[in-house]
C-alpha cells in the first residue's frame, strides 16, 4: 500500500524526511550491528541530506555502522559534480564519521571499464557485501516529471538482477548505472521525495497506479512505500 504525506513546501519535505531517516537509522542500530541505506541525488534528495547533517540527532547516529550506497549513478569521472555520490559527499558524508569501507560507490567512467563491465563489477561487489542477497533498510528515491526513479526511465529496459547499465538516458548524461526494481524493492522501506509543480502530473500518475507511463509505480518496499510531496507536487491529486 502506497501512502502519501503532503507537506507545506520543499523545506518541510526535506526536514520531515531527514528527521524520519535519522530516527530510522538509530532505531535499526539499536537492534542490529549495521543499517543499510540507499540514497538519491536530485534537489529534494540532496536537500534532505543537508537537513540530516543539520539535525540535532545527527550526532547520535553511529555513522561508522551505516552502509551507504546509491540508487543510481551518472557514468562520469570520479569527483565530477554530476555524480550523485559527489553531491551526497558534499551534503552529508564529509560532515559525519562514516567508515569509507561501507560507502559502496558505483564505478566511474575513468575506471577504464565499459558500462556493461562496470555494472557487472558492482554486482559482484554487492554479492560480496550481501552474501544472503542484497537488501536495505531504507531507500530514498526522487521522481522525475516523466515518472522515472533512479535511472529507470519510461520506455527503457529496466533490467533484471541487481544492476542495469543504462545507455540512452533521455536526461543527460546518457550513460548511467542503476539498481533495478528487483534490488530497490528489497528495501524494507521506500520513501519517495518530491516537490514542485513540475512533479505534479508524475505524482498523480504514481498515486493512480499508471504503471504504463510511470516507472515509479513499480517501487514497492517490503514493509512500506511512502510518498512525501509538497503541496505543489500534490496539486494534481
Amino acid at each position: 500500500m502506497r501512502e502519501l504525506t503532503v507537506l507545506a513546501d520543499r523545506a518541510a519535505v526535506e526536514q520531515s524526511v531527514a528527521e524520519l531517516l535519522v530516527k530510522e537509522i538509530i532505531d535499526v542500530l539499536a537492534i542490529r550491528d549495521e543499517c543499510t541505506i540507499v540514497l538519491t541525488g536530485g534537489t529534494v534528495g540532496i536537500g534532505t541530506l543537508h537537513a540530516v547533517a543539520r539535525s540535532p540527532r545527527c550526532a547520535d547516529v553511529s555513522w561508522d555502522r551505516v552502509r551507504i550506497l546509491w540508487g543510481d549513478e551518472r557514468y562520469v569521472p570520479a569527483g565530477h559534480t554530476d555524480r550523485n555520490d559527489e553531491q551526497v559527499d558534499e551534503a552529508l558524508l564529509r560532515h559525519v564519521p562514516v567508515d569509507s569501507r561501507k560507502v559502496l560507490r558505483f564505478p566511474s567512467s575513468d575506471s577504464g571499464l565499459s558500462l556493461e563491465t562496470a555494472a557487472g563489477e558492482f554486482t559482484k561487489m554487492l554479492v560480496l557485501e550481501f552474501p544472503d542477497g542484497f537488501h536495505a533498510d531504507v531507500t530514498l528515491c526522487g521522481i522525475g516529471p516523466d515518472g522515472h526513479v533512479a535511472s529507470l526511465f519510461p520506455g527503457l529496459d529496466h533490467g533484471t538482477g541487481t544492476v542495469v547499465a543504462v545507455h540512452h538516458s533521455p536526461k543527460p548524461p546518457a550513460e548511467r548505472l542503476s539498481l533495478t526494481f528487483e534490488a530497490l524493492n528489497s528495501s524494507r522501506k521506500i520513501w519517495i521525495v518530491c516537490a514542485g509543480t513540475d512533479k505534479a502530473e508524475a505524482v498523480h500518475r504514481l498515486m493512480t497506479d499508471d504503471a504504463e507511463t510511470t516507472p515509479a509505480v513499480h517501487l514497492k518496499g517490503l514493509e512500506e512505500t511512502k510518498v512525501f510531496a509538497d503541496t505543489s507536487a500534490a496539486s494534481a491529486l
Side-chain angles (χ1 to χ4, degrees), residues 128-148:
L128 292 174
E129 288 286 330
F130 301 89
D132 296 326
F134 175 71
H135 61 276
D137 291 291
V138 179
T139 291
L140 287 183
C141 287
I143 182 172
D146 61 355
H148 83 269

PDB file of all heavy atoms in Angstrom, residues 128-148:
ATOM      1  N   LEU A 128      29.415  -9.818  -2.624  1.00  0.00           N
ATOM      2  CA  LEU A 128      30.355  -9.979  -1.516  1.00  0.00           C
ATOM      3  C   LEU A 128      29.860  -9.284  -0.255  1.00  0.00           C
ATOM      4  O   LEU A 128      30.001  -9.799   0.861  1.00  0.00           O
ATOM      5  CB  LEU A 128      31.727  -9.420  -1.911  1.00  0.00           C
ATOM      6  CG  LEU A 128      32.478 -10.196  -2.995  1.00  0.00           C
ATOM      7  CD1 LEU A 128      33.754  -9.450  -3.385  1.00  0.00           C
ATOM      8  CD2 LEU A 128      32.816 -11.603  -2.516  1.00  0.00           C
ATOM      9  N   GLU A 129      29.273  -8.106  -0.417  1.00  0.00           N
ATOM     10  CA  GLU A 129      28.787  -7.338   0.727  1.00  0.00           C
ATOM     11  C   GLU A 129      27.523  -7.938   1.324  1.00  0.00           C
ATOM     12  O   GLU A 129      27.281  -7.830   2.529  1.00  0.00           O
ATOM     13  CB  GLU A 129      28.507  -5.887   0.300  1.00  0.00           C
ATOM     14  CG  GLU A 129      29.742  -5.056   0.029  1.00  0.00           C
ATOM     15  CD  GLU A 129      30.453  -4.647   1.301  1.00  0.00           C
ATOM     16  OE1 GLU A 129      29.780  -4.483   2.352  1.00  0.00           O
ATOM     17  OE2 GLU A 129      31.687  -4.487   1.259  1.00  0.00           O
ATOM     18  N   PHE A 130      26.711  -8.560   0.482  1.00  0.00           N
ATOM     19  CA  PHE A 130      25.421  -9.107   0.918  1.00  0.00           C
ATOM     20  C   PHE A 130      25.342 -10.575   0.495  1.00  0.00           C
ATOM     21  O   PHE A 130      24.618 -10.918  -0.448  1.00  0.00           O
ATOM     22  CB  PHE A 130      24.262  -8.316   0.309  1.00  0.00           C
ATOM     23  CG  PHE A 130      24.239  -6.863   0.648  1.00  0.00           C
ATOM     24  CD1 PHE A 130      24.913  -5.938  -0.151  1.00  0.00           C
ATOM     25  CD2 PHE A 130      23.537  -6.394   1.752  1.00  0.00           C
ATOM     26  CE1 PHE A 130      24.881  -4.578   0.152  1.00  0.00           C
ATOM     27  CE2 PHE A 130      23.500  -5.052   2.067  1.00  0.00           C
ATOM     28  CZ  PHE A 130      24.180  -4.136   1.261  1.00  0.00           C
ATOM     29  N   PRO A 131      26.068 -11.456   1.156  1.00  0.00           N
ATOM     30  CA  PRO A 131      26.102 -12.871   0.735  1.00  0.00           C
ATOM     31  C   PRO A 131      24.746 -13.557   0.795  1.00  0.00           C
ATOM     32  O   PRO A 131      24.528 -14.552   0.093  1.00  0.00           O
ATOM     33  CB  PRO A 131      27.097 -13.507   1.712  1.00  0.00           C
ATOM     34  CG  PRO A 131      27.182 -12.565   2.875  1.00  0.00           C
ATOM     35  CD  PRO A 131      26.953 -11.207   2.311  1.00  0.00           C
ATOM     36  N   ASP A 132      23.839 -13.041   1.594  1.00  0.00           N
ATOM     37  CA  ASP A 132      22.497 -13.622   1.677  1.00  0.00           C
ATOM     38  C   ASP A 132      21.505 -12.934   0.745  1.00  0.00           C
ATOM     39  O   ASP A 132      20.299 -13.167   0.821  1.00  0.00           O
ATOM     40  CB  ASP A 132      21.975 -13.544   3.113  1.00  0.00           C
ATOM     41  CG  ASP A 132      22.815 -14.368   4.077  1.00  0.00           C
ATOM     42  OD1 ASP A 132      23.318 -15.432   3.654  1.00  0.00           O
ATOM     43  OD2 ASP A 132      22.996 -13.946   5.229  1.00  0.00           O
ATOM     44  N   GLY A 133      22.001 -12.073  -0.135  1.00  0.00           N
ATOM     45  CA  GLY A 133      21.139 -11.342  -1.053  1.00  0.00           C
ATOM     46  C   GLY A 133      21.054  -9.873  -0.681  1.00  0.00           C
ATOM     47  O   GLY A 133      20.996  -9.530   0.511  1.00  0.00           O
ATOM     48  N   PHE A 134      21.055  -9.014  -1.681  1.00  0.00           N
ATOM     49  CA  PHE A 134      21.034  -7.577  -1.417  1.00  0.00           C
ATOM     50  C   PHE A 134      19.743  -7.176  -0.710  1.00  0.00           C
ATOM     51  O   PHE A 134      18.659  -7.640  -1.036  1.00  0.00           O
ATOM     52  CB  PHE A 134      21.157  -6.789  -2.722  1.00  0.00           C
ATOM     53  CG  PHE A 134      21.015  -5.309  -2.521  1.00  0.00           C
ATOM     54  CD1 PHE A 134      22.012  -4.589  -1.882  1.00  0.00           C
ATOM     55  CD2 PHE A 134      19.870  -4.645  -2.936  1.00  0.00           C
ATOM     56  CE1 PHE A 134      21.881  -3.229  -1.665  1.00  0.00           C
ATOM     57  CE2 PHE A 134      19.732  -3.284  -2.726  1.00  0.00           C
ATOM     58  CZ  PHE A 134      20.743  -2.584  -2.083  1.00  0.00           C
ATOM     59  N   HIS A 135      19.878  -6.290   0.270  1.00  0.00           N
ATOM     60  CA  HIS A 135      18.719  -5.751   0.975  1.00  0.00           C
ATOM     61  C   HIS A 135      19.115  -4.411   1.579  1.00  0.00           C
ATOM     62  O   HIS A 135      20.302  -4.113   1.752  1.00  0.00           O
ATOM     63  CB  HIS A 135      18.259  -6.695   2.087  1.00  0.00           C
ATOM     64  CG  HIS A 135      19.318  -6.909   3.132  1.00  0.00           C
ATOM     65  ND1 HIS A 135      20.317  -7.845   2.986  1.00  0.00           N
ATOM     66  CD2 HIS A 135      19.555  -6.300   4.325  1.00  0.00           C
ATOM     67  CE1 HIS A 135      21.122  -7.802   4.027  1.00  0.00           C
ATOM     68  NE2 HIS A 135      20.689  -6.879   4.865  1.00  0.00           N
ATOM     69  N   ALA A 136      18.141  -3.594   1.864  1.00  0.00           N
ATOM     70  CA  ALA A 136      18.382  -2.299   2.503  1.00  0.00           C
ATOM     71  C   ALA A 136      17.297  -2.046   3.530  1.00  0.00           C
ATOM     72  O   ALA A 136      16.216  -2.646   3.482  1.00  0.00           O
ATOM     73  CB  ALA A 136      18.404  -1.180   1.469  1.00  0.00           C
ATOM     74  N   ASP A 137      17.607  -1.168   4.461  1.00  0.00           N
ATOM     75  CA  ASP A 137      16.602  -0.778   5.452  1.00  0.00           C
ATOM     76  C   ASP A 137      15.721   0.342   4.928  1.00  0.00           C
ATOM     77  O   ASP A 137      14.494   0.288   5.047  1.00  0.00           O
ATOM     78  CB  ASP A 137      17.301  -0.355   6.752  1.00  0.00           C
ATOM     79  CG  ASP A 137      17.956  -1.541   7.431  1.00  0.00           C
ATOM     80  OD1 ASP A 137      17.207  -2.416   7.921  1.00  0.00           O
ATOM     81  OD2 ASP A 137      19.187  -1.617   7.463  1.00  0.00           O
ATOM     82  N   VAL A 138      16.356   1.371   4.347  1.00  0.00           N
ATOM     83  CA  VAL A 138      15.609   2.489   3.782  1.00  0.00           C
ATOM     84  C   VAL A 138      16.201   2.851   2.433  1.00  0.00           C
ATOM     85  O   VAL A 138      17.428   2.951   2.285  1.00  0.00           O
ATOM     86  CB  VAL A 138      15.654   3.729   4.692  1.00  0.00           C
ATOM     87  CG1 VAL A 138      14.868   4.884   4.057  1.00  0.00           C
ATOM     88  CG2 VAL A 138      15.104   3.421   6.070  1.00  0.00           C
ATOM     89  N   THR A 139      15.343   3.057   1.457  1.00  0.00           N
ATOM     90  CA  THR A 139      15.751   3.571   0.154  1.00  0.00           C
ATOM     91  C   THR A 139      15.045   4.894  -0.089  1.00  0.00           C
ATOM     92  O   THR A 139      13.814   4.975  -0.013  1.00  0.00           O
ATOM     93  CB  THR A 139      15.399   2.578  -0.969  1.00  0.00           C
ATOM     94  OG1 THR A 139      16.237   1.421  -0.846  1.00  0.00           O
ATOM     95  CG2 THR A 139      15.613   3.198  -2.336  1.00  0.00           C
ATOM     96  N   LEU A 140      15.839   5.921  -0.355  1.00  0.00           N
ATOM     97  CA  LEU A 140      15.298   7.226  -0.744  1.00  0.00           C
ATOM     98  C   LEU A 140      15.311   7.330  -2.263  1.00  0.00           C
ATOM     99  O   LEU A 140      16.320   7.007  -2.900  1.00  0.00           O
ATOM    100  CB  LEU A 140      16.143   8.365  -0.171  1.00  0.00           C
ATOM    101  CG  LEU A 140      16.071   8.665   1.318  1.00  0.00           C
ATOM    102  CD1 LEU A 140      16.942   9.887   1.629  1.00  0.00           C
ATOM    103  CD2 LEU A 140      14.640   8.924   1.752  1.00  0.00           C
ATOM    104  N   CYS A 141      14.222   7.783  -2.827  1.00  0.00           N
ATOM    105  CA  CYS A 141      14.131   7.993  -4.278  1.00  0.00           C
ATOM    106  C   CYS A 141      13.497   9.347  -4.564  1.00  0.00           C
ATOM    107  O   CYS A 141      12.583   9.767  -3.852  1.00  0.00           O
ATOM    108  CB  CYS A 141      13.268   6.916  -4.938  1.00  0.00           C
ATOM    109  SG  CYS A 141      14.025   5.295  -5.045  1.00  0.00           S
ATOM    110  N   GLY A 142      13.980  10.002  -5.594  1.00  0.00           N
ATOM    111  CA  GLY A 142      13.246  11.111  -6.157  1.00  0.00           C
ATOM    112  C   GLY A 142      12.347  10.569  -7.262  1.00  0.00           C
ATOM    113  O   GLY A 142      12.325   9.361  -7.531  1.00  0.00           O
ATOM    114  N   ILE A 143      11.605  11.444  -7.886  1.00  0.00           N
ATOM    115  CA  ILE A 143      10.799  11.065  -9.048  1.00  0.00           C
ATOM    116  C   ILE A 143      10.899  12.183 -10.076  1.00  0.00           C
ATOM    117  O   ILE A 143      10.809  13.363  -9.730  1.00  0.00           O
ATOM    118  CB  ILE A 143       9.320  10.794  -8.663  1.00  0.00           C
ATOM    119  CG1 ILE A 143       8.517  10.342  -9.888  1.00  0.00           C
ATOM    120  CG2 ILE A 143       8.695  11.980  -7.970  1.00  0.00           C
ATOM    121  CD1 ILE A 143       7.106   9.862  -9.554  1.00  0.00           C
ATOM    122  N   GLY A 144      11.138  11.823 -11.332  1.00  0.00           N
ATOM    123  CA  GLY A 144      11.228  12.819 -12.380  1.00  0.00           C
ATOM    124  C   GLY A 144       9.865  13.206 -12.914  1.00  0.00           C
ATOM    125  O   GLY A 144       8.872  12.495 -12.688  1.00  0.00           O
ATOM    126  N   PRO A 145       9.767  14.321 -13.629  1.00  0.00           N
ATOM    127  CA  PRO A 145       8.495  14.710 -14.242  1.00  0.00           C
ATOM    128  C   PRO A 145       7.940  13.641 -15.172  1.00  0.00           C
ATOM    129  O   PRO A 145       6.718  13.561 -15.387  1.00  0.00           O
ATOM    130  CB  PRO A 145       8.849  15.993 -15.007  1.00  0.00           C
ATOM    131  CG  PRO A 145      10.031  16.552 -14.283  1.00  0.00           C
ATOM    132  CD  PRO A 145      10.819  15.346 -13.828  1.00  0.00           C
ATOM    133  N   ASP A 146       8.833  12.797 -15.720  1.00  0.00           N
ATOM    134  CA  ASP A 146       8.385  11.708 -16.593  1.00  0.00           C
ATOM    135  C   ASP A 146       8.059  10.440 -15.813  1.00  0.00           C
ATOM    136  O   ASP A 146       7.729   9.407 -16.410  1.00  0.00           O
ATOM    137  CB  ASP A 146       9.451  11.406 -17.644  1.00  0.00           C
ATOM    138  CG  ASP A 146      10.777  10.966 -17.026  1.00  0.00           C
ATOM    139  OD1 ASP A 146      10.898  10.996 -15.781  1.00  0.00           O
ATOM    140  OD2 ASP A 146      11.694  10.595 -17.793  1.00  0.00           O
ATOM    141  N   GLY A 147       8.178  10.501 -14.478  1.00  0.00           N
ATOM    142  CA  GLY A 147       7.861   9.343 -13.651  1.00  0.00           C
ATOM    143  C   GLY A 147       9.013   8.392 -13.430  1.00  0.00           C
ATOM    144  O   GLY A 147       8.820   7.324 -12.832  1.00  0.00           O
ATOM    145  N   HIS A 148      10.229   8.752 -13.864  1.00  0.00           N
ATOM    146  CA  HIS A 148      11.354   7.846 -13.642  1.00  0.00           C
ATOM    147  C   HIS A 148      11.834   7.913 -12.198  1.00  0.00           C
ATOM    148  O   HIS A 148      11.647   8.908 -11.508  1.00  0.00           O
ATOM    149  CB  HIS A 148      12.509   8.147 -14.609  1.00  0.00           C
ATOM    150  CG  HIS A 148      13.409   9.265 -14.171  1.00  0.00           C
ATOM    151  ND1 HIS A 148      13.201  10.583 -14.539  1.00  0.00           N
ATOM    152  CD2 HIS A 148      14.531   9.267 -13.392  1.00  0.00           C
ATOM    153  CE1 HIS A 148      14.154  11.341 -14.020  1.00  0.00           C
ATOM    154  NE2 HIS A 148      14.970  10.572 -13.311  1.00  0.00           N
TER     155      HIS A 148
END
